[in-house]
Amino acid sequence: MEPKVNLSVKVAGIKMRSPVMVASGTFGYGEEYEPLVNLNQLGAIVTKGITVQPRKGNPPPRIVETSSGLLNSIGLENVGLEIFIKEKLPFLQRFNTPIIVNICGEKEEEYVHISERLDKVEAVSGLEVNVSCPNVEKGGMEFGRETGTVRRLVSKVRKVTKLPLIIKLTPNVTDITAIAQAAEDGGGDAVSLINTPLGMAVDIERRKPSLANVTGGLSGPAIKPVALRMVWEVANMVKLPIIGMGGIMTAEDAIEFLLAGATAVAVGTVNFVNPSAALEISRGIEEYLVKNKIRDVNKLRDYGARWKK
Amino acid sequence: MWQGKVRILSNEEVAPDCFRMRLEAPEIAGEARAGQFLHVRVVVGYSPLLRRPFSVHRISEKFKVKDSRLQNVEILYEVAGKGTMILSGRQVGEELDILGPLGNGFDLPGDMETAILIAGGIGVAPLLALAQEIVQSSKLKVQSKKVHVIIGAKMKKLVLCEEEFKELGCQVRVASEDGSLGYSGTAVGLFKELLSTLNFELLTVYACGPEVMLKKIAEITSEKKIPAQLSLEGRMGCGVGACLGCAIKVKNSKGKGKDSPADGGQMEEADFSYKRICKDGPVFGADEVVWNRR
């Protein structure tokens, strides 16, 4: 039976059956959730952030729960580029779902190296350029806080790959629309927002920070209004398609992002609570469209442009 | 691995602030092994946000029968924060969203002749399932009377599961820190005494409890070259190895750290790595863990 409504979207040239993706860092390399989730039904899988060399990550404690949120400072632990290609990608390739690789580095050359290498790897549908990781000493968010830096990095990566480039933005900036514009100017094809805002928690019994790294990135329902505001602002200022994320727990949350101007959404922290969340949210969006007689999910993002302050 | 809603069959306070909850969970009962855990969503909403991990405490012996109401799994938990406080108020007949069984479970060497199980406080939770598994296994040589259990607690009223272990035929010894029951002192003290008075053949030590206790047991077993398996806990996110939140420092098998003292503060970068408590554990070999200096 033909679906009653269209749920498929195209982001940066990547065609997805559903607008609901799983966010980087919250779904491992896919294999961890395969026993529980039909990976063929996801809009796309965004992998854990990959660096040229394997990274151990930060010392524990790495996570702490806060009011309606989760603070993390994982520190980009990952298997490294070559092991990722050899050992993790073949598993993901078995599924009929776009694979977007989140890439990160301490130096521009590392982003360039990874992009050049993955350009030749057929299983990869796109790159999410991580200029927003708040938990590493060097690189990550350092590359995402000034327009000049963003533009330069994106244009360098652009030169070495034809893969769709999705720039993942940090909310820890004065004006995220300027950063998004810089991503476009550099040759990016889409933007993901938001990565985690920096936060902190203190263990008052031990009289020490709750995280070994002192600060961490905040995710979960606590950040949703902030994320939504930023998506709406960027949607009104920049032409690039947006993947909206930040605290999406339910279909209603996702629809808010789509109405505000996002072409697709990604769910993150909710995966830890409910591994089937992405699929349930996708079904919830479908039901909403049917109920409201909207035939195409792509119609939703027109609404945000009409809202004026 | 399974996720879904199960019915709460009982939720009783068995000692001050310690609760035993029984769940009708045929999907888990048939599959779970001692040392694995359940990741429990204590509320329907998002406050608290994350699931809470609890060791499989006891698996119904009747899990092979057809009646799903008899296919039960139990958890034993101490009220230690918001999540466990809410859990302790959940009522019989209500549904609970669980994910599991997760983690690796204890390893039972086929040639093991003696087992010593050391529990510190609420750490007794996975060890009852372990005693059950050892005693019920037809593949193992070890007799129930060669399963020695040390239960350590602060005081008499916090000693958990003494009768349950005895019913399985285990040799049970109790240590209380205030001397109100059994040996006066810690489980570690009683363990040392047990080792010095008895001569054990093909012994494996299993332990779960506070980190300070596990660290001391690791030192003792390492010195005496006794294989030991420890069930650890940590703040967990996903429970399935995806979020990398519950990292624990371990010695690299090839690095120089292999035979050096397990002291994290002095280790070279190349000599350690991080493992995930949820996926690579929660049971670890005592000789691989690098302990924190506190």
Side-chain angles (χ1 to χ4, degrees), chain B residues 9-249:
Chain B
L9 298 173
S10 65
N11 189 15
E12 284 165 12
E13 189 165 11
V14 292
D17 283 336
C18 295
F19 289 74
R20 176 180 280 141
M21 179 182 269
R22 176 180 286 219
L23 302 165
E24 181 182 330
E27 295 85 354
I28 305 287
E31 199 188 321
R33 295 188 44 231
Q36 291 189 296
F37 68 94
L38 306 181
H39 217 17
V40 176
R41 200 169 162 186
V42 299
V43 290
V44 177
Y46 298 106
S47 181
L49 183 62
L50 297 174
R51 290 172 180 269
R52 299 292 192 262
F54 299 100
S55 290
V56 169
H57 171 54
R58 193 154 60 173
I59 304 164
S60 157
E61 282 176 61
K62 301 188 180 73
F63 68 83
K64 284 179 186 141
V65 301
K66 284 209 173 133
D67 188 343
S68 70
R69 284 169 301 180
L70 299 176
Q71 298 172 344
N72 305 332
V73 177
E74 289 176 3
I75 58 173
L76 183 76
Y77 62 95
E78 184 177 13
V79 174
K82 191 176 168 188
T84 43
M85 175 64 82
I86 292 168
L87 196 64
S88 70
R90 296 296 304 266
Q91 302 293 310
V92 172
E94 289 179 354
E95 283 188 325
L96 198 64
D97 182 340
I98 64 171
L99 165 61
L102 302 174
N104 59 355
F106 291 106
D107 182 41
L108 306 179
D111 62 352
M112 173 169 65
E113 284 182 14
T114 316
I116 300 180
L117 281 52
I118 311 165
I122 198 67
V124 73
L127 298 179
L128 186 62
L130 176 64
Q132 201 182 15
E133 198 168 302
I134 294 174
V135 169
Q136 288 164 6
S137 169
S138 53
K139 288 182 195 148
L140 294 178
K141 282 198 286 185
V142 56
Q143 309 278 315
S144 62
K145 62 176 190 234
K146 291 272 188 78
V147 178
H148 298 267
V149 180
I150 294 172
I151 306 171
K154 285 209 161 60
M155 60 193 82
K156 182 181 173 180
K157 63 180 179 181
L158 292 173
V159 173
L160 296 161
C161 304
E162 192 181 356
E163 284 311 307
E164 287 85 344
F165 282 112
K166 283 181 178 165
E167 279 169 26
L168 289 169
C170 304
Q171 303 279 333
V172 184
R173 293 170 177 82
V174 172
S176 57
E177 283 173 31
D178 69 351
S180 53
L181 187 67
Y183 173 89
S184 180
T186 64
V188 174
L190 184 50
F191 173 54
K192 278 190 203 159
E193 197 181 85
L194 182 62
L195 278 182
S196 67
T197 53
L198 294 169
N199 194 22
F200 296 104
E201 295 290 320
L202 292 168
L203 166 68
T204 303
V205 168
Y206 298 92
C208 183
E211 192 173 304
V212 54
M213 173 190 116
L214 297 179
K215 184 179 174 181
K216 282 183 187 155
I217 289 168
E219 284 163 6
I220 295 165
T221 54
S222 159
E223 190 195 316
K224 295 191 186 292
K225 309 251 181 285
I226 302 167
Q229 297 175 34
L230 312 175
S231 174
L232 305 185
E233 64 177 355
R235 283 185 210 152
M236 282 183 198
C238 66
V240 298
C243 77
L244 310 177
C246 59
I248 180 174
K249 203 183 249 190

Side-chain angles (χ1 to χ4, degrees), chain A residues 144 147 150 166-185 188-195 225-245 257-264 301 304-305 307 309:
Chain A
T147 53
V150 172
I166 303 160
I167 319 304
K168 185 161 182 178
L169 307 183
T170 173
N172 302 304
V173 292
T174 313
D175 179 5
I176 197 165
T177 63
I179 305 289
Q181 187 58 55
E184 181 174 337
D185 296 344
D189 300 299
V191 283
S192 281
L193 60 142
I194 58 174
N195 203 325
V226 176
L228 196 56
R229 183 266 296 175
M230 289 187 163
V231 164
W232 180 70
E233 283 179 351
V234 171
N236 281 329
M237 295 290 286
V238 182
K239 287 193 203 82
L240 293 184
I242 298 167
I243 301 167
M245 65 193 74
F257 277 86
L258 295 171
L259 288 169
T263 301
R301 65 176 171 273
W307 307 335
K309 269 177 68 156

Side-chain angles (χ1 to χ4, degrees), chain A residues 18-266:
Chain A
S18 152
V20 188
M21 313 160 51
V22 286
S24 178
T26 66
F27 215 71
Y29 303 107
E31 59 195 26
E32 295 85 352
Y33 277 109
E34 194 270 338
L36 296 163
V37 183
N38 183 350
L39 304 186
N40 279 316
Q41 294 178 1
L42 297 168
I45 296 171
V46 189
T47 69
K48 176 73 189 167
I50 302 294
T51 50
V52 175
Q53 297 299 326
R55 283 182 62 99
K56 279 188 168 93
N58 290 338
R62 290 179 173 182
I63 59 171
V64 60
E65 198 180 45
T66 58
S67 300
S68 300
L70 171 65
L71 270 174
N72 87 80
S73 181
I74 308 298
L76 269 180
E77 176 179 341
N78 77 96
V79 295
L81 177 63
E82 293 306 323
I83 294 176
F84 170 73
I85 294 170
K86 220 173 289 168
E87 295 176 14
K88 302 297 179 185
L89 259 183
F91 172 84
L92 286 167
Q93 214 170 345
R94 291 173 15 204
F95 302 93
N96 183 27
T97 297
I99 305 306
I100 296 168
V101 183
N102 182 290
I103 65 167
C104 200
E106 292 183 3
K107 296 177 191 153
E108 286 180 343
E109 294 78 61
E110 293 175 48
Y111 288 88
V112 171
H113 173 85
I114 302 173
S115 307
E116 208 167 8
R117 178 81 175 85
L118 290 176
D119 186 61
K120 299 177 191 77
V121 179
E122 204 190 335
V124 178
S125 301
L127 302 178
E128 185 175 64
V129 184
N130 181 348
V131 290
S132 45
C133 176
N135 298 323
V136 286
E137 244 176 81
K138 292 179 201 150
M141 188 170 76
E142 253 182 26
F143 288 112
R145 296 178 97 165
E146 285 166 34
T147 53
T149 325
V150 172
R151 197 180 310 115
R152 202 171 75 172
L153 177 67
V154 174
S155 60
K156 280 190 176 178
V157 171
R158 179 75 288 166
K159 285 197 184 89
V160 298
T161 179
K162 293 198 166 58
L163 283 169
L165 292 181
I166 303 160
I167 319 304
K168 185 161 182 178
L169 307 183
T170 173
N172 302 304
V173 292
T174 313
D175 179 5
I176 197 165
T177 63
I179 305 289
Q181 187 58 55
E184 181 174 337
D185 296 344
D189 300 299
V191 283
S192 281
L193 60 142
I194 58 174
N195 203 325
T196 51
L198 265 176
M200 184 172 164
V202 174
D203 179 338
I204 63 165
E205 298 305 325
R206 289 173 56 230
R207 291 180 285 281
K208 280 182 174 179
S210 298
L211 296 173
N213 194 41
V214 185
T215 62
L218 182 62
S219 65
I223 70 167
K224 196 196 82 179
V226 176
L228 196 56
R229 183 266 296 175
M230 289 187 163
V231 164
W232 180 70
E233 283 179 351
V234 171
N236 281 329
M237 295 290 286
V238 182
K239 287 193 203 82
L240 293 184
I242 298 167
I243 301 167
M245 65 193 74
I248 295 175
M249 306 300 276
T250 63
E252 289 76 12
D253 294 338
I255 293 162
E256 285 191 68
F257 277 86
L258 295 171
L259 288 169
T263 301
V265 294

